[in-house]
Amino acid sequence: MTGANGALGFPEGFAWGSATAAYQIEGAPSIDGKGPSVWDTFSHAPGNVRGGDTGDIACDSYHRYREDVALMASLGLRAYRFSISWPRVQPGGRGPANSKGLDYYRALLDELAEHDIAATATLYHWDLPQELQDEGGWAVRDTAHRFAEYSALCVEALGDRVARWITLNEPQVVANNGYRHGQHAPGLRDPEAAAAATHHLLLGHGLATRALRDLGVGPVGITLDLHPIRVLGDGDPGQLETARLITDAMVNGLYLEPVLQGRYPAHTPAAMLPPSDLIADGDLETIGQPLDFLGVNYYSPVFLRAGDPDDLRRNEEPARSGVPGVVEYRPGELERTTMGWLVDADGLHELLLEVSKQAPGLPLYITENGRAAEDYVNPQGEVDDIERVRYLHAHLQAAARAIEDGASLAGYFVWSLLDNFEWAWGYQKRFGIVFVDFGTQRRIPKSSARFYAEVARANAVPSLPAAWPH
Ligand code: FCB
């Protein structure tokens, strides 16, 4: 819909929100009976997180949630995606609920309700109780059952106050960064554990989904990080297509296909596939039961082109598919964020249409999208993050175009409400639309917060970013 001044409009009822995750914002790692999570352990071990940062204080949202909810309300945001910390609810990952841990989320949800902000709760955003990790974590099947039990506890206590449930955040990142490459907790470099974790994460999603449905709550979905695979230039079409299919299976299909179709994709390299003896009868039906919606996190595509992995050119890297004659490539003309992530809004349009094709009619939410930038408070006391305004403008236009072209997109959650603990990067990378001074915990809405508030108010992307940020 194109409105006044060429503004691109969104459908009525479109959800405008922001997203955070427990370990990244809450702090208070051992208050009110909370047990340690793998991220507490991992961040405290020297060398794992840049600058030795930990989530011990983070944004102190455990104590400042009222201020944070008031901030959202002041921006006119009507939806909030946060995550529940499993070790707050079950300190050791099993057994009865810790009522003080649940009280925090009850209070947060009450505050949200008072401000008319619909809650989207993610049950797992990477903070596994350490005790379960000590027994093997996601590499063992029991963790999937423990996750379903924990999910049921959350729903019994909080179900009446939550508008949407998300089981897992980005199982791909958990399996690869946590178990295969070791940059994230639990810091393993173990391909077999990673393949097993892939299956048990997905099984945990399926069992939790069933547990939620048995308790009569919903809608329920999962959040996947998806990356369109884009092929550039000429080359051997057969090799490029094979590389595209394998790369797509590795980064997207391995998670998307089981969830949508109840099967692992044919093009997955054998070493990444869960071994068949881990897949019990009925697992894939459990994993593939119908979803109420799909959460999509979008940051960057993967680009492939013809090249020689033994003689890499500028901006080329070896292709993870291992197909000869093909390399991964980071186009020099695309902007990179301070994470080194490529900025490509067209990729979002392509992705939303592709997923809509694979799951016709399934409501989609962009559950994360945003960028890191070198934000600072200027002498006027403002944070003028014009790069983020441009980024949001381009990506929201891409989302609006995707809706026009048939994607069933129902909402958008910017990552993130607040600057926060960016995992292995610690506090060095700022993603918030609100600046956090970590010394004083002062919050300063950035120009992008004002821009985004205007988008939410108008339910449209203004056509003139040059008019921003004032
Ligand atoms: C995603 C994570 C989120 C945040 C962003 C930048 O992979 O889900 O917690 O760190 O990246």
Side-chain angles (χ1 to χ4, degrees), residues 24 125-126 169-170 297 299 341 368 415 422-423 431:
Q24 295 181 276
H125 202 127
W126 306 353
N169 180 67
E170 299 187 349
N297 289 356
Y299 292 97
W341 297 356
E368 287 180 29
W415 185 269
E422 178 45 36
W423 310 114
F431 274 89

